[in-house]
Amino acid sequence: MPSEPQNAIDARVEQLWRILDTRQEGQLDINGLRRGLKKMDHPLKNADLLLKDVMKAVDTNGDGRIQYNEFRVFVEETEKELRTLFNSIDHDHDGKLDKGELQAAFSRAGLAVPSSKLDRFFVEVDTDQDGVISFDEWRDFLLFIPVNTPGLRAVLSYYSSAVTLSPEGDVQVSDENVRGLGYFLAGGIAGVISRTATAPLDRLKVYLIAQTGLGRDAVQAAKQGDAVAAAKKVSRPLIEASKELWRAGGVRSLFAGNGLNVVKVMPESAIKFGSYEGSKRALAKLEGHADPRQINPWSKFVAGGVGGMISQFFVYPIDTLKFRMQCETVEGGLHGNRLIFDTAWKMWKTNGLRTYYRGLPMGLVGMFPYAAIDLGTFEYLKRAIASKNARRRGCHEEDAAPGSFMTAGIGAFSGALGASIVYPLNLLRTRLQAQGTAIHPPTYAGIVDVTRKTVKHEGFRGLFKGITPNLLKVVPAVSITYVVYENSKRVLSLQ
């Protein structure tokens, strides 16, 4: 490519100086440089820390002001270095850089750059949006890079510092800051789809948990007010329980409570994932760095537990209403909205707001290890597989994430592991929530009482009653959740 004549270079540098020197003072301090960059609408206009480095690089005599001669020397030297770097990347020597050439150059430099970051770099630098970067675009964006010999690592650092601020000086919505809304939406979509798809299994699980050994005619006896007959212990196999639910209302009975599930899943997912990401950032600072993606596995487990507990606390009243509503769904009884309102009113008349929070301590104690194991195990396995794929393919981990099939497998394993470990706590919590209903007439004084009665009447095996339908629900539910969640993140450009 033919070199630019010196007089053309001088004219361009002088024009750039006149734009920057907005007050025509013949010199620039850091505030004057900032004003000039704002007039140019340059990405550095709000990057105060980087501007200080630029001042040090240009102000060779150290008087705190940039003179024209200092500026001219800096621009000419920087342009030469940028030209050399540009030519080394321009493999086909056509005077333009495409994404393939830039990605290959990063790889040669030992830098694993995810495709999403490369795409954002092109959006920022390719001002005419023709899909390639000309030298003029390259030079104009990187002209103020404050290093003597800029390399690709310095280019990435400069880019990251220059484009993280908005025109108002606020931090832009980035991968870390977008989580509040973005992860709310992604988690909500995943939760709604998975909960609806597995609603019949959840219904069956709650039904079996509520049973303390009811006979074949227990539901009918409960409707007639014969609590003694309803409380008699007679085993009910899984198939018989399914038939009973079907007789209670067909398909509608199998989906009883799913409306409440859908209502609660959006805020639950928002709080869960928001708290999880917030906890990871806090733990990253405690570890002495600010990258939540680099925290150790134990910190991920703790962050998952915290996120689960916070979300459980906020949605617990809806959970209790759902459980009790499902336990009031009997053959010939109320259905739909009438059942919801009737159940909610009965709960309020029983003991006010306290009824909605029955079993909360048990729920929080059980939720911490479940969420910690589920989220922590999923993140650990996902990262391990992505790291292995990246080494094999020679790319960034972000571009080597597990596919949907593998994601489903990881999610199934992590969810089943967590659910199995904390299942006894979940059973006891559910019985506290469902006590005094048509299907679960017994009442309890508290956590100790429900534990004692369960073990006394059903043995320790009773603590795992309903675990089969629970796992049949958890495995597909968590698999669907993570597959939809990960794909929703990609659609929403979340990392």
Side-chain angles (χ1 to χ4, degrees):
M1 179 179 294
S3 59
E4 187 178 12
Q6 185 61 44
N7 59 347
I9 296 175
D10 292 340
R12 180 163 45 75
V13 174
E14 289 177 7
Q15 181 183 9
L16 180 58
W17 174 259
R18 285 194 296 270
I19 294 173
L20 290 173
D21 187 12
T22 57
R23 297 182 178 179
Q24 304 301 311
E25 296 176 344
Q27 58 185 6
L28 293 172
D29 59 12
I30 192 167
N31 291 325
L33 180 60
R34 186 183 297 108
R35 284 193 299 270
L37 292 171
K38 285 185 177 180
K39 184 178 179 181
M40 293 174 58
D41 195 28
H42 194 278
L44 279 183
K45 59 191 175 185
N46 296 306
D48 289 344
L49 293 177
L50 196 55
L51 278 181
K52 293 178 181 178
D53 293 334
V54 173
M55 284 293 298
K56 291 179 182 179
V58 183
D59 180 24
T60 53
N61 63 11
D63 63 353
R65 298 178 182 276
I66 299 175
Q67 312 298 329
Y68 173 72
N69 286 335
E70 293 174 324
F71 177 75
R72 180 177 55 79
V73 171
F74 173 81
V75 169
E76 291 183 2
E77 291 298 322
T78 302
E79 283 192 11
K80 290 178 182 178
E81 297 294 341
L82 291 175
R83 169 68 74 179
T84 300
L85 181 59
F86 183 91
N87 290 339
S88 70
I89 301 171
D90 184 17
H91 187 68
D92 57 9
H93 306 294
D94 64 349
K96 299 175 182 179
L97 302 182
D98 58 35
K99 291 181 182 179
E101 289 176 323
L102 201 52
Q103 186 68 275
F106 282 128
S107 297
R108 290 195 299 271
L111 300 172
V113 180
S115 299
S116 58
K117 188 169 186 177
L118 187 63
D119 292 340
R120 293 193 297 271
F121 180 84
F122 258 77
V123 169
E124 195 69 36
V125 182
D126 180 21
T127 54
D128 61 7
Q129 299 182 355
D130 62 352
V132 292
I133 298 175
S134 66
F135 176 72
D136 288 349
E137 292 170 332
W138 176 263
R139 177 199 62 212
D140 293 345
F141 182 79
L142 297 171
L143 184 60
F144 296 99
I145 189 168
V147 292
N148 294 326
T149 307
L152 286 173
R153 191 177 299 276
V155 168
L156 278 181
S157 177
Y158 174 86
Y159 162 74
S160 298
S161 300
V163 300
T164 54
L165 297 174
S166 69
E168 290 76 27
D170 300 323
V171 177
Q172 282 185 338
V173 178
S174 64
D175 287 341
E176 294 299 324
N177 300 310
V178 78
R179 295 179 190 272
L181 179 60
Y183 283 97
F184 174 91
L185 183 58
I189 293 171
V192 168
I193 293 175
S194 68
R195 292 292 178 91
T196 302
T198 59
L201 292 170
D202 182 59
R203 176 77 174 94
L204 183 59
K205 178 204 74 173
V206 173
Y207 184 87
L208 287 176
I209 286 177
Q211 304 293 309
T212 57
L214 299 179
R216 183 176 297 276
D217 300 322
V219 175
Q220 186 62 32
K223 279 186 60 185
Q224 296 173 354
D226 191 349
V228 175
K232 290 181 179 179
K233 296 191 298 178
V234 179
S235 62
R236 184 183 299 277
L238 192 61
I239 295 176
E240 287 299 314
S242 300
K243 289 180 179 179
E244 186 65 45
L245 288 176
W246 182 264
R247 286 194 295 268
V251 175
R252 290 183 64 183
S253 176
L254 296 177
F255 284 88
N258 188 57
L260 288 175
N261 261 335
V262 172
V263 168
K264 86 180 182 88
V265 75
M266 287 292 283
E268 181 183 32
S269 297
I271 297 168
K272 178 180 178 180
F273 286 105
S275 301
Y276 176 54
E277 297 299 335
S279 299
K280 287 202 298 184
R281 287 193 290 272
L283 290 169
K285 292 180 181 179
L286 289 176
E287 291 181 7
H289 58 85
D291 189 353
R293 291 171 294 186
Q294 301 300 323
I295 61 176
N296 66 59
W298 289 111
S299 294
K300 289 181 181 179
F301 277 86
V302 172
V306 171
M309 288 181 68
I310 294 175
S311 66
Q312 176 82 342
F313 177 82
F314 280 99
V315 303
Y316 198 83
I318 300 177
D319 249 344
T320 303
L321 177 59
K322 182 202 74 172
F323 286 135
R324 293 181 68 89
M325 192 193 82
Q326 289 179 330
C327 290
E328 295 284 5
T329 303
V330 294
E331 187 176 357
L334 297 175
H335 295 281
N337 291 334
R338 290 181 61 192
L339 177 60
I340 295 176
F341 295 137
D342 184 71
T343 305
W345 178 242
K346 285 181 180 178
M347 291 171 62
W348 183 261
K349 286 195 304 181
T350 300
N351 206 6
L353 190 62
R354 291 181 61 184
T355 308
Y356 288 85
Y357 282 95
R358 280 178 177 168
L360 177 62
M362 184 75 73
L364 295 180
V365 169
M367 179 53 70
F368 183 89
Y370 169 72
I373 294 169
D374 180 24
L375 286 168
T377 302
F378 178 82
E379 285 255 349
Y380 176 80
L381 294 176
K382 175 188 167 186
R383 183 70 182 273
I385 293 172
S387 179
K388 180 180 178 181
N389 290 343
R391 288 194 300 269
R392 189 176 70 251
R393 302 174 191 173
C395 62
H396 192 274
E397 288 184 9
E398 185 180 310
D399 298 322
S404 294
F405 183 79
M406 182 61 71
T407 299
I410 298 171
F413 176 78
S414 65
L417 179 63
S420 298
I421 291 175
V422 303
Y423 190 80
L425 293 174
N426 182 47
L427 179 139
L428 296 172
R429 171 181 64 88
T430 302
R431 288 189 169 180
L432 283 172
Q433 289 176 305
Q435 61 182 303
T437 61
I439 292 178
H440 192 77
T443 57
Y444 309 100
I447 294 172
V448 175
D449 189 41
V450 67
T451 304
R452 181 179 58 80
K453 287 181 178 179
T454 298
V455 174
K456 178 180 179 181
H457 296 297
E458 303 171 65
F460 285 101
R461 290 183 62 184
L463 295 174
F464 289 90
K465 197 168 189 177
I467 192 172
T468 299
N470 183 61
L471 291 178
L472 288 175
K473 172 217 166 188
V474 164
V475 169
V478 178
S479 296
I480 294 169
T481 296
Y482 280 122
V483 170
V484 176
Y485 179 64
E486 293 296 320
N487 283 283
S488 296
K489 287 199 298 181
R490 294 189 185 98
V491 172
L492 296 171
S493 300
L494 300 172
Q495 303 302 330

